[in-house]
Amino acid sequence: MSHQLLVAILLWAVALWRLPSLSHSRKQRALEVAFVSLAAAMTFEVAPVERWTDALTGAPSTAYLLKHLLGVVSAAAVLDFVIAVVRPQGLLPRPRWAVRAAALFLLTVTFLLAPHDRRAPEGFLVDQRNSNWALLHLGVFTLYIGIAMAVAAWLFIQAARHTPDRWVRAGHGLLGVGCAIGLLYALQRTAYLWSMASGQPTAAQAHSAAHTSTVLKVAAIITIIVGSCLPPLSPVVKTTSQRRALAALAPLWRGLTAAVPSVVLETEIAEGRWGLRLNRCLIEIADASLALREYVPADMQARAEAMAASTGAKGERQAAIAEAGWLRAAAEIAAVSRPCAGDHPELGGVGKDPDAELRWLRRVSAAYDRSSAVAAFATAEAARAGTQEDLEPSAP
């Protein structure tokens, strides 16, 4: 199987995968046009398709012309996409359309003016009777690709620098690298065209140049494909992370809200709104924790810390075990007792940023659910609280 066919299949697969994005936004439509055009251009490089196209039209090298026309459309669409990302208000839309139309027109005219047997590369790159029209055709194509890739590479790099989402940032960065490789491809082709204009390259030189351009072209396409596939993964990864966080927090949420059911909000959240579900879970855990701390004295926190230290845990894990201990004890005490007067334990998640708070609560939830030391501490503290309450004199 030829590399042209493999790349074409890959491009068509990506184009079909992104097909639903046609109805999303202008920038997504531009990217879909880029992939469909590039997939079609690579398809015309496949030898059987090239021969069938020439036979169907009756004109030699028609597939060669179509490949270059589609290449310009694809490069222009990539430029449209990155401009829509970086500068939604637009960037010289009329001049860009004029340059695009001029490039397509010149490609067609120079192709038609070139001798029929000198249109395709194998017909004029090493032959002594080079066609200036054929060389001009290649020059127009290479110049447009080079300019488009240079501008797109610069804009993608700017987009990557200002994007907070790491998956989108990585995707834009790879798209910038892919466009930079596309610029190298255009520069390499330009250098070879210059050598053709100033002298006659040998067959070995022509073969070496063709191999280099193929490697650069395929590398650019693969990098652009990978870069374009990373941003759509961001919501998938985010949703998966939110669902895992909810599952990790479930033991802590169940234990605390069972003791203080009044903190649970009544409003239903639609299925699939995992971000809202996670935010609600965090709010209810915080509210329940604040309510439950009123049932235990401040000195219980010191005993919980001593219990956590006895487990051999270190750092934040030890602190999470301590917090899980007094929270579980508070949940058990709240079921049979009243709030107590005086000072109360301090919550460990106060003052943390959202990501740090979520990591902290996941540690607390794990200890709350799985630590035997936490369970034993809570049972002992609940029994102690019951004993103390029994010893208190009854009100007259």
Side-chain angles (χ1 to χ4, degrees):
M1 186 180 292
S2 66
H3 75 272
Q4 292 95 337
L5 182 57
L6 284 172
V7 174
I9 291 173
L10 184 59
L11 284 167
W12 281 118
V14 175
L16 289 174
W17 173 56
R18 298 191 65 92
L19 193 60
S21 65
L22 282 173
S23 60
H24 291 174
S25 63
R26 181 168 57 90
K27 64 181 180 181
Q28 295 301 329
R29 286 193 292 273
L31 192 58
E32 177 65 10
V33 169
F35 277 114
V36 170
S37 302
L38 193 55
M42 289 302 299
T43 302
F44 283 118
E45 282 196 7
V46 179
V49 176
E50 185 177 10
R51 290 193 295 269
W52 177 82
T53 304
D54 291 350
L56 183 66
T57 60
S61 300
T62 303
Y64 181 70
L65 170 64
L66 294 175
K67 178 185 71 173
H68 282 176
L69 293 176
L70 289 166
V72 167
V73 172
S74 179
V78 169
L79 196 55
D80 289 343
F81 169 75
V82 68
I83 289 174
V85 170
V86 178
R87 301 190 179 182
Q89 71 276 15
L91 177 65
L92 304 174
R94 290 185 178 179
R96 283 192 292 113
W97 275 101
V99 172
R100 184 181 315 176
L104 295 173
F105 174 78
L106 289 173
L107 284 174
T108 304
V109 170
T110 53
F111 174 83
L112 294 174
L113 292 175
H116 287 189
D117 59 345
R118 298 292 179 266
R119 288 177 177 170
E122 60 271 17
F124 66 79
L125 289 180
V126 297
D127 198 285
Q128 292 184 357
R129 297 169 294 171
N130 289 322
S131 165
N132 289 332
W133 289 113
L135 291 175
L136 183 58
H137 173 90
L138 267 180
V140 171
F141 173 76
T142 304
L143 180 62
Y144 186 89
I145 295 296
I147 294 174
M149 291 297 97
V151 176
W154 181 76
L155 291 176
F156 274 126
I157 292 172
Q158 296 300 312
R161 290 175 58 189
H162 298 92
T163 301
D165 188 291
R166 62 178 180 176
W167 288 92
V168 178
R169 182 168 61 249
H172 287 167
L174 280 176
L175 285 166
V177 172
C179 291
I181 298 173
L183 173 60
L184 291 178
Y185 163 81
L187 292 174
Q188 186 267 342
R189 297 303 290 170
T190 300
Y192 187 64
L193 286 175
W194 180 261
S195 70
M196 288 172 53
S198 58
Q200 184 58 46
T202 64
Q205 290 173 330
H207 176 76
S208 176
H211 175 74
T212 302
S213 66
T214 297
V215 170
L216 290 172
K217 177 171 61 178
V218 172
I221 291 173
I222 297 299
T223 307
I224 288 172
I225 287 175
V226 175
S228 70
C229 292
L230 290 182
L233 290 177
S234 179
V236 176
V237 173
K238 188 174 183 179
T239 297
T240 302
S241 176
Q242 290 168 343
R243 295 183 67 171
R244 291 179 62 186
L246 276 168
L249 294 175
L252 181 62
W253 179 87
R254 284 195 299 266
L256 301 187
T257 57
V260 194
S262 59
V263 304
V264 179
L265 302 175
E266 296 181 357
T267 305
E268 292 293 331
I269 297 179
E271 188 69 26
R273 305 294 297 275
W274 299 107
L276 287 177
R277 287 174 178 265
L278 179 58
N279 288 336
R280 173 169 166 171
C281 178
L282 293 172
I283 291 170
E284 291 172 351
I285 287 175
D287 290 346
S289 299
L290 288 171
L292 288 173
R293 68 190 288 267
E294 301 294 325
Y295 287 83
V296 295
D299 59 0
M300 184 187 289
Q301 190 164 27
R303 294 194 294 274
E305 290 170 354
M307 174 273 296
S310 69
T311 65
K314 302 295 182 182
E316 192 169 83
R317 184 167 176 266
Q318 178 180 318
I321 291 174
E323 178 134 337
W326 72 258
L327 278 174
R328 184 159 176 170
E332 293 189 17
I333 293 170
V336 295
S337 184
R338 300 182 302 273
C340 64
D343 295 330
H344 305 286
E346 296 295 330
L347 292 169
V350 176
K352 296 180 182 291
D353 63 71
D355 291 337
E357 181 187 11
L358 180 57
R359 288 193 299 269
W360 164 255
L361 288 176
R362 289 181 69 158
R363 286 181 179 273
V364 174
S365 182
Y368 192 99
D369 183 46
R370 298 195 291 268
S371 174
S372 58
V374 167
F377 175 82
T379 301
E381 289 294 328
R384 178 176 178 171
T387 301
Q388 289 179 344
E389 187 166 337
D390 289 341
L391 293 175
E392 290 179 357
S394 300

